[in-house]
Amino acid sequence: MWVLMYVFSYSVSPAATSDKAEWRLLPTVVFQEFTSEERCSKAKATLEGSLQEAGARLKSGLEDLKAVGKADPAQIIIAYNVECLPK
């Protein structure tokens, strides 16, 4: 048995938005069991790709806002870790 574990969090500081408060998603930890290492590894690769793509889209959107003086992509932190662990 294998367990896919991932941790995800993000933070946007007030400098990146017109809001006066920081936006923060506290770390979320998710576990999913798999019957084989191969299935766990495939799920890991898919999840990592999805998280990278979502982060790239968010950064791109902030770049567009920066171009008109409304945001700074340097003010956002997206963190994640995905692991397959034997149970």
Side-chain angles (χ1 to χ4, degrees):
M1 186 70 68
W2 286 79
V3 175
L4 174 73
M5 177 204 70
Y6 73 90
V7 180
F8 176 78
S9 67
Y10 73 86
S11 175
V12 180
S13 78
T17 69
S18 60
D19 195 346
K20 299 293 184 229
E22 183 171 296
W23 301 353
R24 182 181 301 269
L25 174 67
L26 297 175
T28 300
V29 181
V30 177
F31 298 93
Q32 176 68 47
E33 292 186 353
F34 289 88
T35 55
S36 70
E37 182 178 10
E38 179 184 353
R39 291 185 70 181
C40 188
S41 295
K42 283 182 182 179
K44 177 184 178 204
T46 300
L47 183 57
E48 285 177 325
S50 179
L51 291 172
Q52 287 174 349
E53 184 179 317
R57 274 190 264 143
L58 182 57
K59 292 278 188 182
S60 175
L62 286 173
E63 286 289 349
D64 293 345
L65 289 172
K66 182 180 181 181
V68 294
K70 298 288 184 188
D72 184 356
Q75 301 299 319
I76 186 166
I77 299 169
I78 300 170
Y80 63 88
N81 185 40
V82 184
E83 297 291 333
C84 278
L85 307 167
K87 183 175 177 184

